[in-house]
Amino acid sequence: MELRKINLQNFRQFKNTTVEFSTDVNKNVTVILGDNTFGKTTFVKAFIWCLYRQNTFKDNKILLNHDVQVQMRPGESKETKVVLTLMHNGFDYLITTREEYTKSQNGNITTSKRAQSSMLKGCTGNPENMKPIPPDAVSNEINNILREELKDYFFFDGEDNSIEKISMRGNLKDAVSNLLGLQRLEDFANYFSPNIDSVRTRIADGLEKKDDGVTTLLNDDLLRNKGECQKAKDQVKKAEEEIDKLSKELQDKNDIISANKGVMNQQEEKKEKLDDNIKLKEAIENDFSNTVLSVNTTDVLLRSLYAASFNKYDLLNKLSSSSYKSETSLTHISTSAVDDIIKRGYCICGAKIESGNEAYKHLIESKEHMEPNDYGKYASDFSDSEHYNFRNSKVDLYTLSNNLTGILEKIGNVDQNNKRIKDITNLIVGCPEIGEIQQRANDISAEIAKQENYRDFYLYTNIPELEKKIQKNNADISAASVNNEKNNQIKNSLKYCDYIYLAASSQLQVSKNKVRNNLQDEVTKAFNKMYSGKRIIRIDEDFRVSTKLQGFENENIDDSGGLSAVTNFAFVAGLISLAKSKMTLSIDFSDNTPIDENYPLIMDAPFSKTDEKHIKNVCSILPIYCNQLIIAIMNKDYQEAEPALNVRVGKIYRFIKKSETESDIEAI
Amino acid sequence: MTYSLDLRITGKHAAIIKKYSGDKTKAPSDEFKFVVKDTQGKDKIITIFSTYFQCFEVSAMLGIVMGEKIEVADNSTDETGKIITATILSSMLNQKSSRQNLERIYAHLILDRNEGTIDSRIRNAFSFDSVDEKTQLNEITSYSRAGLEFIDSLFKDCQSYEDVCNSLIALADKINDLLTSKSD
């Protein structure tokens, strides 16, 4: 298939836009430059809609240009149309797909005629001799050009089908089988399969069976085993569909995660701050309660105030300057004892005591130094006690201040966290909750693994066991059947069927291995040309593609989609290369012409997740692998791609955004 | 000394005592609650002093070290028109620790004054039984009033834990200043 020209009329934002593609084999690249919202995705989707009438727009299913819709009068009808001109297999084709819309009296736009395709076909070089293909044959004719199930390998719209997602597809095995010609071989083998309803079953039904209980039991057993085998196969299909669905969802989630790495970091930081605040607040509540409790239970303030008074009024010096001394204290003598001595007239020491003599005066004076007038001791005790308290209070007060400062620091940390949380919240407002998406991605991965185990159990354990039983049932029934000429012929036919089935199955396995090995070789070649690193690329039995560092079997990598983009470019290039080389077509029973000539690759923003170095590599290699490369690309990405792509660019255009509802494409 | 009379603080000073002190015998009335917001933004009642007496003695010492007293009792009334009163029962005053604290406060009160000789101040400060109960408590209460007003000035605008901590730090700093400076 070689694309020549596309014309879009009233198709979304394109009112009447025509683009001719480069068909020069040496300059087989057509570039259309445009930034986001300029119409790149719409442009690529126009091919898919024109060929397969598949409307994959998510936002608005009405394809008719908005300005046209507004200008329509109630009751008026207008159509949207895409005309694609291409060459295939020596024929020129003009495919026109149109859909009609009508404006109702209340102004609503509805589809009045669903999308329909028409086709003109003629030998290449004779446009005047192109003839219309009957309407009911158009779809078949388009499928002969490129089967619908293979379109995803050639048209990358960047949304539902981006280059990064190709190897994630659960139905990759079927698709590759289709593309590389294995499907017909598989269909052929199944035609003779003893395990399902097949031509063999119908032949076996012709056996004249003995009308006895044993044969009835064998037949019942066969039917039951076939039923279970079919159920198991349905389960496999169901599991694969589920894996496919989950894989797509996983890829979407991973895309969101990759695209929001910064947001995820910020959300994690926000969560950390929130968690930190919970702990801080708990600590503040505890510390605050304990500190306030210490204030009102330990008398720290009162004792500090005693000390403050003691210091401020210099009581230590003042008290020591008093005439009351502790040395003169007579604490253990009472004033009444002194009075008794005076009354007795002589002292304990024998000195005479008379009113007014020295001994008398001394005794009277000594009464000032005993209870309740022991002021020297009172003052001394007070001074000692307050001095001691003074020293301790400084420490107590420091501890209190320190505790309070600690609480304030924590409060400050909470405030800082709150400020940061507020800033982050403002920064990520409207962003998806990446933590939840990551959790969902993990759940999906686990569910995929579960479904794979489920599928593998049926595929590799349950179904083979049932097939053995069915084979035995068939053999037993055959042995138990009536021995006559007709049955002998049927049995011979059955043997023939079984032989063909075994041969075809065996050939299918050989072919699959061959295809896988060939694909591995082709993809490796492409990958090695595109990728500069130490990774190797692998294709497993289900044609899934992955990369590994040599020597690291179980490796988790995080490349934000860049490596997977290169990997998938290599996969697509290898796939196209293999199909082109027809290496798979030499196998027996294969599809004669699944792909019988070169195919174009049409891509929207293919390099958005590829780094500069690999963009250059991919751009150098891709035009060699595919016959025709049409890329709608952002200006900034093209700056990276241009040095490598320039020599291959045959035509270059740019999108022009005239308004929110109108874009056009013009040649540069 | 044995105290025969209850100690009554009245008016705005009583309100201050009630606000910042706990009273285990009854829940604080709305009028005299010291409420700030906790870390969850909920109202939290804060008790700086566990009892009226503790508040009284701290405020008295504050008044003494600041050298400030208010001799005239305030007679502000509550919503019902009654004079606000905070009563410290004589039984509380007569507890050994309370009595010792009152004697200690009174000793500071007398010794800190710049009146008379140091000997006469010592005699006055430690002549416990010769001092009239009413005189002693009135003296202490007048200093307590000044201290209470200072405490209220620190805490009255508190809205949060942060404010309370800052006020307590301001109080500690104030005391610390007095711990390191001498009176002129």
Side-chain angles (χ1 to χ4, degrees):
Chain A
M1 176 168 63
E2 185 178 82
L3 297 170
R4 298 278 174 83
K5 187 167 72 174
I6 193 167
N7 171 248
L8 288 69
Q9 289 181 36
N10 296 334
F11 187 81
R12 307 260 297 183
Q13 61 265 58
F14 297 99
K15 288 187 176 171
N16 189 358
T17 299
T18 301
V19 178
E20 289 185 16
F21 307 110
S22 176
T23 53
D24 182 337
V25 286
N26 295 316
K27 287 182 174 286
N28 59 347
V29 179
T30 302
V31 172
I32 309 154
L33 300 170
D35 289 327
N36 285 335
T37 76
F38 276 46
K40 297 193 303 300
T41 304
T42 297
F43 181 73
V44 175
K45 285 188 180 219
F47 289 90
I48 299 167
W49 185 73
C50 182
L51 290 169
Y52 306 106
R53 295 161 301 286
Q54 204 178 78
N55 181 343
T56 57
F57 292 97
K58 287 175 182 169
D59 53 345
N60 186 357
K61 289 286 181 188
I62 293 177
L63 301 175
L64 188 66
N65 177 266
H66 185 265
D67 292 344
V68 174
Q69 292 179 41
V70 171
Q71 288 158 8
M72 284 163 71
R73 294 185 301 277
E76 189 181 3
S77 296
K78 290 275 182 187
E79 68 176 18
T80 186
K81 188 164 83 173
V82 175
V83 183
L84 187 61
T85 309
L86 59 90
M87 191 272 283
H88 178 74
N89 232 5
F91 290 95
D92 284 336
Y93 291 85
L94 190 74
I95 302 165
T96 304
T97 299
R98 43 167 60 88
E99 187 160 82
E100 187 187 86
Y101 295 89
T102 303
K103 194 172 205 172
S104 67
Q105 292 304 320
N106 58 16
N108 289 338
I109 301 289
T110 53
T111 311
S112 44
K113 281 185 190 165
R114 295 251 162 241
Q116 284 188 328
S117 298
S118 60
M119 181 187 273
L120 293 174
K121 180 180 177 183
C123 287
T124 299
N126 291 305
E128 64 279 4
N129 291 329
M130 290 180 84
K131 291 183 177 159
I133 300 293
D136 56 357
V138 171
S139 291
N140 194 40
E141 195 75 27
I142 290 172
N143 268 302
N144 284 337
I145 297 170
L146 179 65
R147 286 211 295 276
E148 185 174 353
E149 62 266 30
L150 302 181
K151 72 179 187 311
D152 286 349
Y153 296 90
F154 300 97
F155 298 97
F156 293 91
D157 65 14
E159 276 185 354
D160 305 291
N161 183 37
S162 67
I163 189 77
E164 294 83 17
K165 292 180 184 174
I166 188 166
S167 64
M168 286 297 292
R169 287 189 196 129
N171 61 356
L172 205 60
K173 192 172 155 186
D174 291 343
V176 174
S177 290
N178 263 325
L179 189 62
L180 300 180
L182 294 172
Q183 193 60 49
R184 288 194 183 182
L185 183 55
E186 194 160 351
D187 291 346
F188 178 78
N190 285 336
Y191 193 68
F192 296 100
S193 170
N195 306 314
I196 54 176
D197 283 334
S198 63
V199 70
R200 189 202 185 283
T201 315
R202 289 194 290 279
I203 293 170
D205 285 345
L207 279 173
E208 278 182 35
K209 297 172 185 93
K210 285 178 186 168
D211 188 16
D212 59 10
V214 175
T215 307
T216 309
L217 282 173
L218 283 171
N219 267 324
D220 290 349
D221 203 26
L222 173 66
L223 285 174
R224 188 171 55 252
N225 285 333
K226 276 189 175 178
E228 281 183 24
C229 191
Q230 189 55 52
K231 273 186 201 167
K233 285 179 178 173
D234 290 345
Q235 291 292 347
V236 170
K237 196 177 171 193
K238 200 173 151 192
E240 281 181 340
E241 283 169 0
E242 190 63 20
I243 291 165
D244 191 26
K245 193 179 93 184
L246 290 167
S247 298
K248 279 178 187 163
E249 193 187 347
L250 179 63
Q251 184 60 41
D252 287 345
K253 302 290 178 211
N254 285 337
D255 282 351
I256 296 170
I257 292 165
S258 292
N260 289 283
K261 273 265 154 67
V263 173
M264 184 164 73
N265 292 340
Q266 284 169 329
Q267 284 174 344
E268 278 172 4
E269 188 189 348
K270 183 180 171 182
K271 188 176 180 306
E272 277 170 18
K273 298 284 179 199
L274 286 167
D275 290 345
D276 194 29
N277 269 4
I278 290 170
K279 287 178 191 160
L280 278 169
K281 284 178 180 179
E282 276 176 17
I284 290 166
E285 289 290 340
N286 275 335
D287 293 355
F288 186 79
S289 296
N290 291 337
T291 305
V292 171
L293 193 67
S294 78
V295 169
N296 68 33
T297 56
T298 61
D299 279 347
V300 62
L301 293 178
L302 187 61
R303 284 186 287 103
S304 301
L305 285 162
Y306 289 144
S309 166
F310 183 72
N311 174 68
K312 183 182 176 187
Y313 296 108
D314 199 17
L315 294 185
L316 184 66
N317 285 329
K318 281 182 182 170
L319 290 169
S320 64
S321 68
S322 154
S323 63
Y324 294 114
K325 303 295 181 194
S326 61
E327 305 88 79
T328 58
S329 173
L330 295 162
T331 307
H332 301 296
I333 303 174
S334 69
T335 51
S336 55
V338 173
D339 288 343
D340 284 347
I341 290 169
I342 292 170
K343 193 177 173 186
R344 194 171 71 170
Y346 56 93
C347 186
I348 295 166
C349 64
K352 190 169 181 177
I353 301 165
E354 287 180 339
S355 177
N357 74 356
E358 282 302 311
Y360 175 81
K361 283 180 188 171
H362 187 75
L363 280 170
I364 292 298
E365 195 185 311
S366 69
K367 284 169 75 176
E368 290 293 305
H369 302 288
M370 58 188 70
E371 290 286 354
N373 304 314
D374 193 2
Y375 298 115
K377 185 170 190 317
Y378 299 152
S380 173
D381 286 353
F382 180 83
S383 181
D384 289 349
S385 155
E386 293 298 356
H387 193 220
Y388 176 77
N389 176 56
F390 173 74
R391 291 197 302 262
N392 288 339
S393 291
K394 281 188 170 177
V395 177
D396 291 346
L397 215 51
Y398 175 79
T399 305
L400 174 64
S401 290
N402 217 26
N403 290 342
L404 290 164
T405 307
I407 296 169
L408 286 175
E409 277 175 14
K410 289 187 176 101
I411 291 171
N413 289 341
V414 169
D415 289 345
Q416 276 185 354
N417 283 349
N418 281 336
K419 188 174 176 299
R420 181 68 187 141
I421 289 165
K422 194 178 170 187
D423 288 347
I424 293 172
T425 304
N426 286 336
L427 280 172
I428 61 175
V429 66
C431 292
E433 188 56 57
I434 303 301
E436 286 174 13
I437 293 169
Q438 181 66 64
Q439 183 56 50
R440 175 65 190 144
N442 295 343
D443 293 346
I444 294 169
S445 295
E447 183 58 26
I448 288 173
K450 191 177 146 191
Q451 290 292 337
E452 284 174 341
N453 285 337
Y454 199 53
R455 177 200 60 191
D456 291 349
F457 163 73
Y458 282 111
L459 212 50
Y460 303 117
T461 306
N462 188 250
I463 292 174
E465 280 173 7
L466 286 166
E467 285 179 347
K468 271 186 192 168
K469 284 182 186 175
I470 290 166
Q471 281 170 27
K472 188 172 182 309
N473 288 148
N474 283 327
D476 291 346
I477 288 168
S478 188
S481 61
V482 177
N483 193 6
N484 60 24
E485 186 57 28
K486 184 188 165 200
N487 272 5
N488 287 339
Q489 281 181 3
I490 291 173
K491 283 176 190 173
N492 279 338
S493 299
L494 290 175
K495 276 184 193 169
Y496 184 62
C497 283
D498 290 344
Y499 175 79
I500 294 173
Y501 175 71
L502 280 174
S505 297
S506 168
Q507 183 60 52
L508 180 64
Q509 195 53 49
V510 170
S511 300
K512 272 186 182 173
N513 289 338
K514 191 175 172 186
V515 165
R516 197 202 69 78
N517 291 337
N518 289 342
L519 188 60
Q520 170 78 65
D521 291 345
E522 290 300 318
V523 172
T524 300
K525 276 184 214 163
F527 185 72
N528 290 343
K529 287 174 187 168
M530 291 176 180
Y531 177 70
S532 46
K534 293 180 179 174
R535 308 189 73 81
I536 54 171
I537 195 162
R538 279 186 187 170
I539 291 171
D540 68 14
E541 288 181 349
D542 292 333
F543 299 103
R544 288 178 198 277
V545 62
S546 62
T547 64
K548 299 273 178 210
L549 265 178
Q550 280 176 331
F552 291 86
E553 287 304 311
N554 298 311
E555 177 208 17
N556 291 318
I557 59 158
D558 174 15
D559 79 320
S560 305
L563 175 62
S564 68
V566 176
T567 305
N568 290 316
F569 275 121
F571 181 74
V572 169
L575 207 57
I576 292 172
S577 173
L578 192 61
K580 278 164 70 174
S581 71
K582 302 185 182 179
M583 288 174 75
T584 60
L585 307 182
S586 61
I587 57 177
D588 294 339
F589 307 109
S590 68
D591 190 336
N592 285 330
T593 53
I595 293 180
D596 58 358
E597 62 173 55
N598 298 330
Y599 275 81
L601 208 51
I602 298 99
M603 298 174 138
D604 169 27
F607 306 124
S608 58
K609 287 189 178 174
T610 314
D611 60 86
E612 182 187 348
K613 189 177 179 182
H614 288 114
I615 286 177
K616 285 177 185 165
N617 290 349
V618 171
C619 287
S620 304
I621 306 305
L622 211 55
I624 299 168
Y625 276 83
C626 60
N627 188 46
Q628 194 178 25
L629 179 62
I630 298 166
I631 53 173
I633 185 169
M634 288 175 70
N635 283 298
K636 70 177 179 62
D637 288 343
Y638 188 60
Q639 283 174 16
E640 309 289 348
E642 191 180 10
L645 209 57
N646 205 22
V647 291
R648 306 287 304 212
V649 175
K651 286 186 187 292
I652 183 160
Y653 297 86
R654 70 169 166 224
F655 287 91
I656 301 164
K657 189 170 181 176
K658 294 180 176 175
S659 69
E660 286 303 314
T661 53
E662 186 178 0
S663 289
D664 202 354
I665 297 172
E666 66 173 22
I668 297 177
Chain B
M1 181 185 292
T2 302
Y3 296 96
S4 58
L5 301 170
D6 295 339
L7 173 60
R8 283 193 171 79
I9 317 289
T10 59
K12 64 181 179 184
H13 303 107
I16 295 168
I17 284 188
K18 282 169 178 275
K19 183 174 177 182
Y20 300 113
S21 310
D23 182 348
K24 290 171 185 166
T25 61
K26 58 185 177 186
S29 68
D30 286 341
E31 198 179 348
F32 304 116
K33 276 180 188 169
F34 179 33
V35 179
V36 298
K37 298 291 182 194
D38 70 7
T39 54
Q40 304 299 329
K42 293 178 184 166
D43 285 350
K44 172 113 175 172
I45 298 170
I46 306 295
T47 308
I48 304 291
F49 306 103
S50 56
T51 61
Y52 288 180
F53 182 70
Q54 192 192 35
C55 182
F56 173 76
E57 56 191 1
V58 168
S59 59
M61 276 310 298
L62 258 175
I64 290 165
V65 295
M66 292 189 303
E68 291 174 14
K69 62 179 178 178
I70 297 168
E71 291 185 354
V72 182
D74 182 71
N75 285 321
S76 301
T77 55
D78 61 17
E79 291 167 339
T80 65
K82 287 182 183 171
I83 294 173
I84 305 162
T85 306
T87 303
I88 302 167
L89 297 172
S90 59
S91 58
M92 175 71 173
L93 300 176
N94 282 318
Q95 283 178 12
K96 189 181 174 187
S97 62
S98 306
R99 217 171 54 234
Q100 284 174 340
N101 280 357
L102 285 170
E103 286 173 0
R104 193 170 174 182
I105 291 165
Y106 190 67
H108 275 280
L109 186 156
I110 298 296
L111 292 171
D112 291 351
R113 282 177 176 168
N114 235 351
E115 293 172 4
T117 65
I118 186 64
D119 284 354
S120 68
R121 275 189 264 165
I122 288 172
R123 275 198 303 276
N124 288 337
F126 300 113
S127 297
F128 308 116
D129 291 332
S130 61
V131 182
D132 171 49
E133 168 193 358
K134 202 169 179 180
T135 307
Q136 186 210 47
L137 288 178
N138 279 346
E139 282 269 16
I140 295 174
T141 303
S142 63
Y143 282 101
S144 171
R145 289 188 195 104
L148 286 168
E149 290 194 7
F150 179 73
I151 287 170
D152 194 42
S153 72
L154 285 177
F155 291 101
K156 66 181 177 186
D157 294 325
C158 286
Q159 303 283 328
S160 62
Y161 285 179
E162 187 178 7
D163 295 340
V164 175
C165 287
N166 280 323
S167 296
L168 280 169
I169 287 173
L171 180 58
D173 287 348
K174 173 86 177 171
I175 297 170
N176 200 44
D177 286 347
L178 296 166
L179 272 173
T180 52
S181 65
K182 302 279 187 193
S183 174
D184 293 335

